[in-house]
Amino acid sequence: MEDCIFCKIANGEIPSKLVYEDEAVAAFYDLTPQAPIHVLIVPKRHYADILEAEESGAPLNQMARAAKTIARQLGLEENGFRLVINTGADGGQTVPHLHMHMMGGRAFGWPAG
Ligand code: AMP
Ligand code: ZN
C-alpha cells in the first residue's frame, strides 16, 4: 500500500528501531512512547484495521505470537505488559495500518481513559 507509513517501516523504506521481525510481522519502538517499553507490532501485509483482517484471524495470531517472543526478549514476562489495538475514530486509531501496542515497564490502571 503506497503512502502507508507502517508499510514503509515494515518493508524497510523508512528506518525504525526494529525489535523483532519474521516473515509475517515486524515490531519496532513507538516514536512517542507511553511506557518505558512501547513497541508496535504490525503485520507486513496491509490491513487498515482489525475489521479488514481475514476471518481466520491469522494476522492477529501472528502478532500475538510475536508479542510472546518480544516479552521474552525484552524481559516483560515477569511483570507483564499491556496489548492494545485501537480501531477507528472512537478507538483513537491515528495510523490506518493494523497495529498492536505492546507496553510494559510500568503498571497501568483500568479502565483506560
Ligand atoms: P494509534 O493511535 O493506535 O493509531 O497508534 C499510532 C502510533 O504510531 C502512535 O503511538 C504513534 O506514536 C506511532 N507512530 C507514528 N509514526 C511512527 C513512526 N514513524 N515510528 C514509530 N512510531 C510511530
Ligand atoms: Zn500499510
Side-chain angles (χ1 to χ4, degrees):
M1 169 100 172
E2 278 175 38
D3 285 334
C4 170
I5 189 164
F6 286 177
C7 280
K8 287 183 176 170
I9 289 175
N11 71 25
E13 261 182 80
I14 291 179
S16 70
K17 284 171 73 183
L18 207 65
V19 174
Y20 170 86
E21 186 175 24
D22 63 31
E23 69 291 346
V25 163
F28 49 91
Y29 285 104
D30 195 295
L31 268 188
T32 314
Q34 306 298 319
I37 294 172
H38 187 167
V39 171
L40 298 174
I41 305 171
V42 309
K44 289 187 170 176
R45 188 168 160 196
H46 182 87
Y47 309 91
D49 57 29
I50 194 172
L51 300 171
E52 266 195 10
E54 286 93 341
E55 286 299 317
S56 69
L60 296 161
N61 278 329
Q62 289 156 338
M63 292 158 81
R65 205 179 49 200
K68 286 182 61 164
T69 303
I70 294 164
R72 211 174 306 128
Q73 198 178 309
L74 300 183
L76 292 173
E77 284 178 308
E78 190 175 342
N79 288 332
F81 50 88
R82 179 165 288 188
L83 297 175
V84 174
I85 300 177
N86 296 327
T87 305
D90 279 2
Q93 185 179 4
T94 59
V95 177
H97 177 124
L98 176 60
H99 54 280
M100 184 182 267
H101 295 260
M102 181 172 193
M103 293 170 286
R106 73 169 168 94
F108 292 89
W110 186 262

